[in-house]
Amino acid sequence: MVAERHKLYTFDYKTGKISFIGRTCPKCGKVMAKHSDRFACGYCGYTIFVKGK
């Protein structure tokens, strides 16, 4: 399995800044995993459920 971390960030060529696209955990500040119906933090267990379409 290859980690594709370059897809998690965008680069602004005018300012030279790198920004994170994904979600960070409001509880601990780590990166949250995206599932089909929720965002989950593997570190502290915090979960944000997304309403269905």
Side-chain angles (χ1 to χ4, degrees), residues 2 6-9 12 19 24 26 34-35 43 45-47 52:
V2 178
H6 66 280
K7 293 182 180 179
L8 296 175
Y9 298 91
D12 186 5
S19 60
T24 55
K34 182 179 180 185
H35 298 277
Y43 186 76
Y46 186 80
T47 305

Side-chain angles (χ1 to χ4, degrees), residues 1-14:
M1 187 168 130
V2 178
E4 296 181 348
R5 293 183 182 156
H6 66 280
K7 293 182 180 179
L8 296 175
Y9 298 91
T10 58
F11 183 73
D12 186 5
Y13 290 96
K14 287 186 177 182

Side-chain angles (χ1 to χ4, degrees), residues 13-53:
Y13 290 96
K14 287 186 177 182
T15 61
K17 292 191 178 188
I18 300 170
S19 60
F20 182 65
I21 297 173
R23 256 190 138 127
T24 55
C25 180
K27 198 172 177 183
C28 67
K30 305 279 184 182
V31 175
M32 296 184 81
K34 182 179 180 185
H35 298 277
S36 62
D37 60 343
R38 69 194 183 279
F39 289 95
C41 179
Y43 186 76
C44 69
Y46 186 80
T47 305
I48 300 171
F49 287 97
V50 179
K51 292 186 180 187
K53 293 179 182 176

